[in-house]
Amino acid sequence: ILNVEQSPQSLHVQEGDSTNFTCSFPSSNFYALHWYRWETAKSPEALFVMTLNGDEKKKGRISATLNTKEGYSYLYIKGSQPEDSATYLCALGDMRFGAGTRLTVKP
Amino acid sequence: NAGVTQTPKFQVLKTGQSMTLQCAQDMNHEYMSWYRQDPGMGLRLIHYSVGAGITDQGEVPNGYNVSRSTTEDFPLRLLSAAPSQTSVYFCASSLLAGATKQFFGPGTRLTVL
């Protein structure tokens, strides 16, 4: 993987569902991975910065894991709410961004 | 704290005009950066600075200049605007480069006719 890739591109879930998405990145020369939440008409908001292999971060119902050896990170949202609807971005420490996963949570 | 501020919020330019997008932060962050957001392409880094007096190019620097004379300010200059520079521009700052949380400004929507 030469660049940062996110999947899926978009996701529609029902309120209460738990969901997860993936960020894949080149595992060589890794030093940090960022997750952002980006609501429409607003600016990106930092969720987590992860640096160590096996790192796990949690903020409320949102959590993330990191595997630097295989080059991926997962973002999990437990019990999705309509207010979780946003685009979730990941980026490497050198500020290469993925294209994002657009999450829509239906009431 | 105001955080990261950007002006203007909206701007329309004609091809060939020049202008400066302003960015300021009051968090005493060393690292500042400029991004452009285009549909389907996510955020792309234009220029960045790791401290006053130090700037470097990002992924898409052509047609843009920056300077960092103070820790607080990081203006982005468009030298001769082109329609391809129509985009939303975000400024961001963080305590240090790479491994600390980055804070974004509200963005500037630029249209070049």
Side-chain angles (χ1 to χ4, degrees):
Chain A
I1 296 174
L2 296 178
N3 287 309
V4 181
E5 297 176 359
Q6 292 188 248
S7 63
Q9 191 172 5
S10 66
L11 197 54
H12 290 74
V13 301
Q14 289 294 132
E15 182 176 353
D17 288 349
S18 293
T19 187
N20 65 87
F21 14 97
T22 305
C23 174
S24 303
F25 52 87
S27 54
S28 59
N29 299 318
F30 173 88
Y31 65 98
L33 184 96
H34 298 243
W35 279 102
Y36 296 88
R37 168 192 161 87
W38 193 0
E39 293 181 68
T40 302
K42 294 187 177 180
S43 50
E45 173 193 358
L47 288 172
F48 307 116
V49 180
M50 308 171 79
T51 57
L52 299 175
N53 185 45
D55 222 358
E56 293 187 25
K57 299 275 187 178
K58 188 175 181 182
K59 182 178 180 179
R61 294 178 291 98
I62 304 177
S63 60
T65 61
L66 178 66
N67 184 322
T68 61
K69 294 182 179 179
E70 296 184 35
Y72 65 84
S73 175
Y74 294 138
L75 189 80
Y76 301 91
I77 302 179
K78 184 177 178 182
S80 302
Q81 299 296 308
E83 57 265 31
D84 295 329
S85 296
T87 295
Y88 291 84
L89 297 173
C90 66
L92 290 173
D94 61 4
M95 295 303 122
R96 275 180 288 166
F97 277 79
T101 292
R102 180 183 291 272
L103 174 67
T104 304
V105 183
K106 300 176 184 177
Chain B
N1 284 354
V4 181
T5 58
Q6 289 183 239
T7 56
K9 289 191 176 180
F10 302 95
Q11 183 71 49
V12 179
L13 292 178
K14 294 181 180 178
T15 297
Q17 288 185 313
S18 62
M19 79 158 295
T20 299
L21 307 185
Q22 301 292 343
C23 174
Q25 52 91 10
D26 61 358
M27 297 175 281
N28 203 30
H29 285 171
E30 291 295 328
Y31 183 81
M32 296 185 74
S33 52
W34 277 102
Y35 300 89
R36 57 179 289 171
Q37 183 228 340
D38 300 301
M41 304 199 70
L43 290 169
R44 292 185 292 168
L45 183 64
I46 305 171
H47 284 283
Y48 65 94
S49 168
V50 297
I54 306 168
T55 63
D56 209 343
Q57 296 181 349
E59 182 184 352
V60 287
N62 292 343
Y64 308 94
N65 271 358
V66 291
S67 60
R68 185 99 178 267
S69 56
T70 66
T71 298
E72 295 77 21
D73 300 297
F74 191 43
L76 178 74
R77 280 182 287 278
L78 279 70
L79 308 172
S80 176
S84 61
Q85 293 179 304
T86 293
S87 188
V88 180
Y89 292 84
F90 288 96
C91 178
S93 76
S94 59
L95 190 61
L96 297 170
T100 56
K101 279 190 178 180
Q102 192 165 211
F103 296 85
F104 281 80
T108 295
R109 184 174 292 276
L110 175 68
T111 301
V112 183
L113 303 175

